[in-house]
Amino acid sequence: MTPALLASALLLFVTLGYVSLCAASPFGDCRKCGGWGFATKTDRKGRPKRGKDCRRCKATGKRIRIGRHLYNVAARLHRDGTR
């Protein structure tokens, strides 16, 4: 198997895997808060304490994946163009 054919097969496999991930689970954990929905702070005794709500995910702890966002944009564009 030539290296170019192997590279293209690997790229196709990774792409199809990401597409299936976006279809099965369109939302992932927020990168800023780690999926908690808030920042963690410590009090004066060093115990963990809930901090402010995460502004990026609006305290949900979830974000939309990039591939799903691109699919939504393409579907909206197609839907608006065929009306």
Side-chain angles (χ1 to χ4, degrees):
M1 190 178 261
T2 63
L5 185 62
L6 183 64
S8 63
L10 182 63
L11 183 65
L12 180 67
F13 179 72
V14 169
T15 303
L16 290 178
Y18 185 70
V19 166
S20 65
L21 176 70
C22 288
S25 176
F27 295 99
D29 289 338
C30 177
R31 290 186 291 264
K32 185 174 181 182
C33 63
W36 286 93
F38 56 87
T40 55
K41 298 186 340 184
T42 55
D43 60 2
R44 291 187 295 173
K45 294 182 181 179
R47 292 182 296 215
K49 176 179 153 181
R50 181 183 170 113
K52 292 183 179 180
D53 289 343
C54 180
R55 293 186 298 170
R56 180 179 287 176
C57 64
K58 297 180 181 69
T60 62
K62 296 292 178 184
R63 62 167 176 84
I64 193 160
R65 294 186 194 274
I66 295 170
R68 185 60 183 212
H69 176 72
L70 292 176
Y71 172 77
N72 289 347
V73 168
R76 187 178 310 119
L77 183 65
H78 176 72
R79 186 174 53 245
D80 292 343
T82 56
R83 282 189 186 165

